Amino acid sequence: MKHIVVDLEMNPVGKEYRDVRRKLNGEIIEIGAVRLNEDFVQEDEFQCYVCPEYGMVKKHITELTGITQEKVAGHPAFADSFHAFVVWIGEAETKIYSWSMSDIKQLRKECRLKLPDFDVTWLDARWVDLQQEFDDRLGLHNSLALKHALGAMGRRFEGSQHSALADAVNTSAVLALMQDDAKFRETMRPVLEILEPSDGLSNSIGELFPDLEKLKRNL
């Protein structure tokens, strides 16, 4: 069994493409992924930029991701880029993970418009919402952002946030930790202490994980 962790970066469809916007709000402009072996050790990575077909890369997207129009210009459009990604995934038995379901939803919509003959159920059958599994393991009612999950693990985000490949690499670290339940619970003990009612709860934990303290109050 192979394990693929994927992240996508998107750009809004231009306002002038009204008919397209009824079906698709944004287009993928970067695909980043890592492949882990059966022991959840990284063995390969995939990264490509995708040239949008319905508008230029917006300024706020460049500010968020560092992706400029010049960076995607000349790269293949979605159909060829996605085909290359599927070939890289391969035919072996594989699970595909992302942080939340937003990426699979984007792929469904974009395939429906640009690759109508592609069988999206091929993706659905393999896809796992790692964010939901992480939240369920901790008993959270609200979802944690990836950077907060890493912070709870005592890890810093490696690379630039909102870089598809860096996001995939960091997400894979969460996936790997979750394979050892004892290690996971030991690593996440401060978080679990926040979530478990206790009169002697340390204020320092709340200061260390302020977002988790907010979640606790919402439980």
Side-chain angles (χ1 to χ4, degrees):
M1 171 73 74
K2 301 291 184 179
H3 305 273
I4 305 291
V5 182
V6 63
D7 185 76
L8 308 173
E9 300 299 332
M10 274 79 75
N11 183 65
V13 171
K15 293 181 179 179
E16 64 272 28
Y17 298 97
R18 293 181 180 179
D19 290 342
V20 174
R21 284 168 63 90
R22 293 191 183 98
K23 304 174 184 177
L24 189 68
N25 293 324
E27 295 180 276
I28 294 168
I29 55 173
E30 185 186 11
I31 302 173
V34 294
R35 179 189 294 123
L36 310 180
N37 63 19
E38 60 276 5
D39 296 318
F40 293 89
V41 175
Q42 181 176 331
E43 62 179 20
D44 199 8
E45 62 184 38
F46 177 95
Q47 189 277 337
C48 72
Y49 292 113
V50 184
C51 190
E53 300 169 60
Y54 302 108
M56 309 281 279
V57 176
K58 303 297 187 289
K59 181 180 178 180
H60 73 278
I61 296 299
T62 296
E63 293 172 349
L64 181 67
T65 67
I67 301 173
T68 62
Q69 181 62 35
E70 291 73 22
K71 192 171 281 190
V72 299
H75 285 273
F78 174 77
D80 289 340
S81 299
F82 182 65
H83 176 72
F85 177 56
V86 171
V87 170
W88 177 79
I89 291 175
E91 296 298 326
E93 188 177 0
T94 307
K95 283 188 176 181
I96 305 173
Y97 306 79
S98 65
W99 197 257
S100 87
M101 293 297 283
S102 60
D103 287 340
I104 182 64
K105 290 177 181 177
Q106 175 67 31
L107 284 171
R108 288 189 196 118
K109 291 179 180 179
E110 205 151 346
C111 284
R112 193 176 299 127
L113 179 67
K114 300 177 180 179
L115 289 171
D117 294 331
F118 180 77
D119 183 10
V120 182
T121 59
W122 180 87
L123 283 175
D124 288 332
R126 300 174 179 225
W127 208 277
V128 178
D129 181 354
L130 188 62
Q131 183 185 47
Q132 187 62 58
E133 289 201 350
F134 181 88
D135 294 340
D136 289 346
R137 184 79 68 88
L138 288 176
L140 297 177
H141 294 176
N142 296 317
S143 295
L144 275 185
L146 176 59
K147 66 177 181 179
H148 296 144
L150 290 166
M153 291 165 54
R155 292 178 61 101
R156 290 188 175 182
F157 192 98
E158 296 182 12
S160 300
Q161 292 186 48
H162 302 294
S163 160
L165 182 56
D167 282 356
V169 169
N170 283 279
T171 302
S172 71
V174 180
L175 174 63
L177 177 64
M178 290 177 66
Q179 305 316 304
D180 185 331
D181 191 62
K183 185 177 181 180
F184 179 81
R185 294 189 66 82
E186 178 62 26
T187 301
M188 304 303 294
R189 181 183 295 175
V191 179
L192 294 171
E193 288 177 352
I194 287 175
L195 300 175
E196 294 172 358
S198 172
D199 293 335
L201 190 65
S202 169
N203 289 333
S204 62
I205 296 175
E207 293 171 359
L208 185 59
F209 304 118
D211 294 301
L212 290 175
E213 185 64 32
K214 292 177 185 177
L215 288 175
K216 180 194 172 214
R217 290 197 295 267
N218 291 332
L219 291 178

